[in-house]
Amino acid sequence: LVPYVFRAIMKNSTAADTSIQVTNAGPLVRLAALTYDALLVLGMWFVLGILFVAINDGEHVAQHNPFLPSAMFIVLFWFNTHFWRRGGQTLGMRAWRLRLLNDNPGPLTLMQCLVRFLVSLASFLLCGLGYFWVWFDKDGLSWHDRYSNTRVIREPKKKKKK
């Protein structure tokens, strides 16, 4: 995997700019984080389904009703965008020490999140080809990393205090 220099401003540091070398996350650890996040989203979808049934007076939602799938899509987009823009980590990414970084200066934009989300869906629907592209890309980026000008890095382990 290609090393990447991550620049961060440390709060309690005398130097204004400190750099650490990190590597882009590989496809297997990304898949593990995706599995964690999928379980969380599935739980949110269950709650959403319960709300839809409750609103429908206890009856099931009609098979061709576009509102439930649309709401599920919105929940999935909100989940990812909310966490990506608020610290660069979903809960699954946090568990596996992954972080989403913007290749451009500044925080992630909503447009970057939208592009990343849509391309990652296409990657997933094509049997994960966009995720496994990491093995073939010279910079170790997936399709959605490349198109959204972002990258997922693996953070180093924190040193334990004695």
Side-chain angles (χ1 to χ4, degrees):
L1 296 175
V2 179
Y4 178 74
V5 176
F6 175 60
R7 302 193 189 294
I9 297 173
M10 306 300 281
K11 291 180 183 176
N12 298 329
S13 176
T14 55
D17 184 53
T18 7
S19 299
I20 58 171
Q21 189 169 341
V22 293
T23 55
N24 291 336
L28 297 179
V29 72
R30 289 176 186 232
L31 184 62
L34 179 67
T35 302
Y36 277 40
D37 289 336
L39 292 173
L40 293 168
V41 169
L42 188 63
M44 292 169 51
W45 284 352
F46 272 113
V47 171
L48 186 67
I50 290 169
L51 289 174
F52 267 77
V53 169
I55 290 170
N56 205 24
D57 292 327
E59 295 293 322
H60 72 282
V61 179
Q63 185 174 1
H64 299 291
N65 183 340
F67 295 112
L68 182 59
S70 297
M72 292 169 74
F73 185 81
I74 290 168
V75 164
L76 181 62
F77 176 70
W78 173 85
F79 176 84
N80 286 296
T81 301
H82 173 74
F83 286 110
W84 288 340
R85 293 192 74 199
R86 198 173 178 226
Q89 292 177 302
T90 61
L91 296 173
M93 291 170 76
R94 184 171 296 207
W96 288 94
R97 298 186 340 266
L98 302 179
R99 183 174 299 276
L100 180 64
L101 298 178
N102 189 350
D103 282 344
N104 304 320
L108 288 171
T109 65
L110 191 57
M111 185 55 74
Q112 281 179 298
C113 290
L114 178 62
V115 168
R116 182 176 180 78
F117 178 74
L118 294 175
V119 176
S120 68
L121 282 179
S123 298
F124 185 76
L125 293 174
L126 291 170
C127 301
L129 185 59
Y131 288 93
F132 295 114
W133 191 256
V134 169
W135 281 324
F136 305 106
D137 188 85
K138 65 180 174 70
D139 296 324
L141 300 176
S142 64
W143 289 352
H144 38 284
D145 292 336
R146 178 102 24 223
Y147 286 108
S148 64
N149 292 320
T150 60
R151 68 181 63 237
V152 177
I153 55 114
R154 185 92 190 251
E155 293 182 325
K157 288 184 180 180
K158 293 180 182 178
K159 295 179 182 176
K160 294 181 183 180
K161 295 180 181 179
K162 293 182 179 182

